[in-house]
Amino acid sequence: MKSLIFAAASLLFGTIYALPSKTASEPFLTQVDNTTWVLGNEIWNVTQQQIYGIKLMYKGRDCVGEAVGHYVSYNGAASNLQWTSASITKRGTYHGKQYIDVSFTAAEGDMHWVIFSGLSGAYQYFVNHALPTLGEFRTLWRLDNTTFTKGRTNIKDEELPPLSEYLPGNKVQDETWLKPDGSGYITKYDFTAWSRNQDYFGVYGGGFGSWYINAGKDYYNGDHLKQELMVHRESSTGDAVQLNMIHGTHFMASSSDVFPDGKMWGPWLWYLNDGDKQDAAKRAAEEFRSWPYTWLDDEEYHSRGTVRGKIMLSDGRPASNAAVFLGDNDPNKTSLDMGSTYYYTAYADRNGNFEFSNVRAATYGLQAWSNGSSIADVTTSLHQNDVTVKKSAETSLGSLTWEVSTKEKLFQIGDFDRYSYGFLHGGAPHQHALVASCPANLTYIIGESKPLDWCFGQTYLGNWTVRFKAPAASQSAAPNLIVSLAGYSSGASTNILVNGVRVGNMTSGSSLLPSDPCLYRSATGAGEWHLLEYSFDKALLKEGWNELTFNMVRNTTWHGFMWDSVVLEW
């Protein structure tokens, strides 16, 4: 089919646009017919049709080849944007370089390509006008699989699996196959990475590299724990996929957002080179220094201010290294699920001071939670609404007090930080079915066992038992069991027992425990965080040794509970 498209296109406008001009230095947009345009500069050009950018000429080669090319879509591949027109909305000169801003218009909004003379690539951004309520929105390149053979994120850099290993008879689930030699699994989700930690990512090989550099990340949905699929091989065609998940849902329990007219994703830089990662890293550093981009002509984009403050715990300690988040004001969603507007993440320093710079003018809600280290025992979170940011102004929040629990702690397993870090396999490199290496039965003895004796996830029928000593019952309130889950994947049910008496349950279908795909999509550090609390009669505890048991009574392969921390207090 792709060959037929190219043949028809060639008959329409020949090969004049196949190669970048070696003499012209001005970026350009040329309309061929009602559904075909060519855009680029003296280094590269793209032939854009109604949906797909079908041809990318760079260094004398079509980098798309028989692959699908460039497109924009939402809710997976269910809805590809269809361009009805294209125009140059602005021409200008910036630091001696000419540029044009090309806008492709669809019913849902406008996709912009900002093309500078002399730049190997283009800046891109999308402005919403009529996107529906959705979870997933993305731009992407699907490129020639013989040229782009490797994938790189900030935590993974290796060959993409050869298409020959994707055997239909070995498929075990969504985009996941048993390797032909039985040594493990092939899955696109192994190329997952933390969205807000990215420097540059893309596909490369054979003297060519195609990279995304997202210097500004305020248009992303979610908080510090937002992770997304970045690159992979398309199993049906072998295409090398460079995936720009600007609004993603791959590891979330839910994400259903309504976007205001004018919501802007980007700009980011799509960058071409010869596959040199040092060059890409250097370019990324330049982009991060240059953000927010002064060449962009948009008043709201440049209406930004600063937020500063200090967080102290109610027990007098500074909130050292706490995760701090600016998101929806007076929210009705978790911080990971937020995504309608703009979001900012930071970490406090060791004294509890934090700062957000270049924040879009608006009113936000602030949250903070433990990121481990010296406040790994803090089980509460800080919430403050009505943080107003004004253009070119500093919003000083002064000293904020974060209330912490005053109850006596009988024990804690694992740092309270919303990650599985510290447990066996917690935070290991992404790999499918790692949770299957965790035991069905486990005994953890408070005062003797270490966090590495507790595995990061529970997936098998069986009992995970905590043995702990308690003093004689006091006149205090009922004991409170806090279970902090770094993630939960459906199909599992666990009864919680204290000395053989059931005090709670964690199960699928519970409104308190929505499912996310973390454990069966290669995640090892987090999915969506869940905080569960169970109070019970203190008479169930006896002086001396006691047992807390997580008795899994229903399971599904590779599904279950990813642990963050277990705390018992009274």
Side-chain angles (χ1 to χ4, degrees):
M1 182 64 184
K2 185 69 179 290
S3 298
L4 293 176
I5 293 173
F6 280 131
S10 296
L11 289 173
L12 283 170
F13 54 94
T15 59
I16 187 170
Y17 301 110
L19 296 171
S21 168
K22 295 184 180 298
T23 56
S25 60
E26 294 185 11
F28 65 89
L29 169 70
T30 302
Q31 182 160 351
V32 178
D33 59 31
N34 288 336
T35 58
T36 306
W37 304 266
V38 181
L39 66 157
N41 60 16
E42 72 275 23
I43 298 174
W44 61 273
N45 64 52
V46 170
T47 301
Q48 177 69 55
Q49 294 193 325
Q50 189 172 24
I51 296 176
Y52 301 108
I54 61 172
K55 198 169 190 177
L56 167 59
M57 295 305 304
Y58 175 61
K59 294 172 57 179
R61 181 182 297 185
D62 177 10
C63 294
V64 171
E66 293 298 312
V68 170
H70 184 272
Y71 59 105
V72 180
S73 68
Y74 57 91
N75 292 335
S79 301
N80 296 327
L81 269 60
Q82 299 187 37
W83 312 119
T84 57
S85 65
S87 63
I88 297 175
T89 60
K90 183 176 176 60
R91 296 180 183 271
T93 302
Y94 184 78
H95 289 178
K97 298 290 186 180
Q98 292 179 306
Y99 73 90
I100 58 174
D101 187 330
V102 177
S103 176
F104 284 90
T105 298
E108 296 87 349
D110 303 323
M111 178 71 184
H112 292 256
W113 300 62
V114 181
I115 306 169
F116 281 83
S117 60
L119 176 60
S120 296
Y123 294 94
Q124 298 176 314
Y125 64 98
F126 184 86
V127 180
N128 171 63
H129 293 307
L131 278 169
T133 302
L134 57 78
E136 182 175 285
F137 184 50
R138 63 188 188 169
T139 75
L140 66 156
W141 281 101
R142 287 173 56 175
L143 297 169
D144 175 52
N145 61 23
T146 63
T147 301
F148 300 91
T149 59
K150 300 177 183 179
R152 191 267 180 195
T153 72
N154 67 318
I155 59 175
K156 190 179 183 70
D157 183 359
E158 62 184 47
E159 291 280 343
L160 297 172
L163 185 60
S164 60
E165 293 192 357
Y166 292 73
L167 302 179
N170 286 352
K171 189 170 186 178
V172 297
Q173 67 168 34
D174 165 42
E175 292 299 306
T176 305
W177 292 260
L178 183 67
K179 290 182 178 180
D181 63 4
S183 62
Y185 296 91
I186 303 167
T187 176
K188 69 180 184 181
Y189 299 110
D190 282 356
F191 276 96
T192 294
W194 305 104
S195 299
R196 294 178 181 271
N197 294 349
Q198 283 305 308
D199 45 12
Y200 65 97
F201 65 97
V203 291
Y204 69 101
F208 292 81
S210 180
W211 312 100
Y212 280 129
I213 302 172
N214 301 70
K217 296 177 171 61
D218 56 356
Y219 47 85
Y220 282 155
N221 56 322
D223 58 21
H224 311 62
L225 286 84
K226 181 69 170 62
Q227 54 189 320
E228 266 304 335
L229 176 61
M230 302 287 174
V231 298
H232 66 94
R233 185 178 298 289
E234 174 56 46
S235 61
S236 61
T237 63
D239 296 357
V241 181
Q242 182 184 358
L243 191 59
N244 189 29
M245 295 298 305
I246 51 179
H247 194 93
T249 62
H250 277 108
F251 295 88
M252 298 166 62
S254 64
S255 180
S256 181
D257 294 312
V258 177
F259 307 110
D261 186 7
K263 163 69 188 276
M264 178 190 292
W265 285 271
W268 58 86
L269 176 62
W270 161 62
Y271 184 60
L272 289 166
N273 70 2
D274 61 1
D276 184 344
K277 289 176 287 186
Q278 289 186 338
D279 171 69
K282 179 180 178 181
R283 184 73 202 205
E286 293 174 1
E287 297 303 318
F288 277 75
R289 286 193 297 269
S290 300
W291 183 85
Y293 297 118
T294 55
W295 49 258
L296 182 63
D297 186 14
D298 184 279
E299 184 177 352
E300 289 188 7
Y301 175 82
H302 293 293
S303 296
R304 297 175 183 269
T306 300
V307 178
R308 290 191 177 93
K310 182 174 184 176
I311 305 175
M312 297 294 294
L313 305 182
S314 58
D315 62 11
R317 290 180 291 165
S320 300
N321 304 309
V324 192
F325 176 73
L326 272 183
D328 295 345
N329 194 41
D330 195 18
N332 59 4
K333 296 181 177 182
T334 69
S335 53
L336 185 64
D337 288 344
M338 295 179 195
S340 293
T341 56
Y342 303 96
Y343 303 91
Y344 300 87
T345 58
Y347 294 96
D349 65 16
R350 65 179 183 177
N351 296 316
N353 299 301
F354 66 90
E355 177 179 334
F356 297 94
S357 58
N358 294 312
V359 178
R360 281 178 174 258
T363 299
Y364 298 89
L366 181 141
Q367 299 185 34
W369 57 85
S370 167
N371 191 44
S373 65
S374 64
I375 62 169
D377 61 310
V378 176
T379 60
T380 59
S381 301
L382 172 69
H383 295 259
Q384 176 158 323
N385 291 315
D386 303 319
V387 177
T388 300
V389 179
K390 297 181 179 180
K391 181 180 179 180
S392 303
E394 177 181 317
T395 300
S396 177
L397 299 180
S399 183
L400 304 176
T401 300
W402 175 352
E403 294 294 333
V404 299
S405 174
T406 58
K407 295 180 179 180
E408 178 186 357
K409 189 169 292 183
L410 291 176
F411 69 80
Q412 178 173 346
I413 303 174
D415 288 357
F416 209 96
D417 58 7
R418 304 192 180 185
Y419 295 99
S420 66
Y421 299 161
F423 298 138
L424 182 64
H425 303 312
H430 292 80
Q431 57 182 293
H432 178 67
L434 184 61
V435 70
S437 64
C438 292
N441 297 290
L442 180 153
T443 299
Y444 190 97
I445 303 174
I446 299 300
E448 298 181 17
S449 301
K450 305 298 182 185
L452 280 174
D453 297 321
W454 189 272
C455 206
F456 85 111
Q458 184 180 13
T459 189
Y460 295 119
L461 300 178
N463 295 315
W464 285 27
T465 299
V466 181
R467 299 194 70 233
F468 63 96
K469 284 185 176 180
S474 67
Q475 300 302 312
S476 63
N480 185 47
L481 174 66
I482 301 172
V483 179
S484 180
L485 296 175
Y488 167 69
S489 297
S490 64
S493 180
T494 286
N495 290 325
I496 303 173
L497 312 173
V498 173
N499 291 326
V501 178
R502 174 171 155 162
V503 298
N505 174 263
M506 303 187 297
T507 194
S508 296
S510 167
S511 61
L512 297 176
L513 197 54
S515 172
D516 68 74
C518 62
L519 284 176
Y520 61 87
R521 281 187 172 174
S522 299
T524 65
E528 178 131 2
W529 176 67
H530 306 283
L531 180 66
L532 306 173
E533 297 189 63
Y534 306 89
S535 293
F536 56 91
D537 188 341
K538 64 184 179 182
L540 290 179
L541 293 181
K542 57 188 178 183
E543 185 176 3
W545 285 103
N546 295 263
E547 290 189 348
L548 167 69
T549 302
F550 295 96
N551 170 222
M552 184 172 279
V553 294
R554 179 162 55 89
N555 74 325
T556 301
T557 304
W558 307 319
H559 293 224
F561 305 94
M562 185 185 291
W563 301 99
D564 167 31
S565 186
V566 178
V567 177
L568 182 61
E569 60 182 14
W570 66 358

